[in-house]
Amino acid sequence: MPVYISMLRGINLGNHKKVSMPDLKTLYDTLHFKNIETYIQSGNVVFEWENADIKELEKTIAKSILKYYQFEVPVVIRTLETMQKLIAGNAFLQRKGLDEKQLHVTFLSEKPTAANLGKVNTFHYEPDEFFIIEDHIYILCPNGYGRTKLNNNFFESKLKVTATTRNWQTVNKLLEIATKQPYDPMTL
């Protein structure tokens, strides 16, 4: 059965959009997903489900969250295979002496248009760097993600798509949960 990784945008930030992970797991269970596992409080859920259209899965989960919690939450989903390719494709990892704590991935709800990509690629906020591949963005923030201008709001306003960001450690942990084995980049 295919494995999916869903990431919710903007929950449990301060006093806004509170969602407990046990409740979220129960909600996914009501949708009949299998082998559901949550990771940390930011709305990461790994689950199994029959072959399905990802956009339809995103809509189904978002609609269920709205019904249960009475607020809207964007949902972005990746397959296990997509996540494996995404991790293997991070060119920042080729840099010597790189501190992986500076790495982040922004997941986009869809591939941005060429026109919007052209606009965003004109922005430079050194020392922060980014590069966009399809529907995700690799970000390097030497001074920390909390200080960068390359945040979800920036990319959403420029690319006109929903964005949610996870640090590199979380991205790798989600893959580990999805594969049920420790992450080893040499196996990709």
Side-chain angles (χ1 to χ4, degrees):
M1 193 172 290
V3 176
Y4 299 94
I5 298 143
S6 66
M7 294 160 282
L8 308 184
R9 162 82 157 97
I11 66 164
N12 297 332
L13 299 173
N15 291 324
H16 303 286
K17 297 184 180 180
K18 290 290 188 186
V19 177
S20 79
M21 293 306 98
D23 286 349
L24 187 59
K25 187 173 183 178
T26 298
L27 185 138
Y28 275 58
D29 191 50
T30 65
L31 297 171
H32 307 291
F33 298 147
K34 306 293 180 209
N35 298 316
I36 305 157
E37 190 167 342
T38 62
Y39 178 66
I40 64 176
Q41 292 296 98
S42 59
N44 305 297
V45 186
V46 177
F47 63 97
E48 293 179 5
W49 187 238
E50 59 197 42
N51 279 322
D53 178 87
I54 289 180
K55 291 298 168 198
E56 288 302 315
L57 272 178
E58 290 171 345
K59 288 177 190 173
T60 297
I61 294 167
K63 188 173 159 182
S64 295
I65 291 170
L66 176 61
K67 182 178 178 183
Y68 186 81
Y69 290 102
Q70 304 299 306
F71 53 73
E72 291 185 8
V73 174
V75 179
V76 176
I77 295 179
R78 295 294 187 264
T79 64
L80 169 61
E81 294 78 19
T82 300
M83 193 69 90
Q84 288 171 320
K85 289 176 187 174
L86 181 146
I87 288 174
N90 190 340
F92 287 128
L93 295 174
Q94 304 303 315
R95 293 191 183 174
K96 298 244 187 259
L98 177 76
D99 181 355
E100 289 187 7
K101 292 178 184 171
Q102 299 172 352
L103 293 176
H104 297 78
V105 178
T106 298
F107 298 88
L108 305 175
S109 59
E110 59 190 271
K111 185 178 174 183
T113 66
N116 289 336
L117 279 172
K119 291 176 193 172
V120 80
N121 283 326
T122 64
F123 288 89
H124 300 283
Y125 294 112
E126 284 84 13
D128 300 338
E129 299 175 59
F130 71 94
F131 65 96
I132 302 171
I133 305 287
E134 299 292 324
D135 58 0
H136 59 275
I137 305 167
Y138 298 102
I139 305 173
L140 177 64
C141 303
N143 297 322
Y145 186 77
R147 294 185 174 157
T148 188
K149 293 182 180 185
L150 302 175
N151 57 32
N152 291 331
N153 293 334
F154 170 80
F155 287 114
E156 287 178 338
S157 71
K158 304 299 181 211
L159 297 174
K160 309 300 184 211
V161 297
T162 298
T164 188
T165 301
R166 301 298 185 267
N167 66 44
W168 192 244
Q169 178 182 348
T170 296
V171 171
N172 283 280
K173 184 64 178 178
L174 290 171
L175 179 61
E176 183 178 312
I177 292 167
T179 59
K180 299 184 182 3
Q181 60 187 1
Y183 168 67
D184 179 2
M186 302 311 289
T187 63
L188 297 176

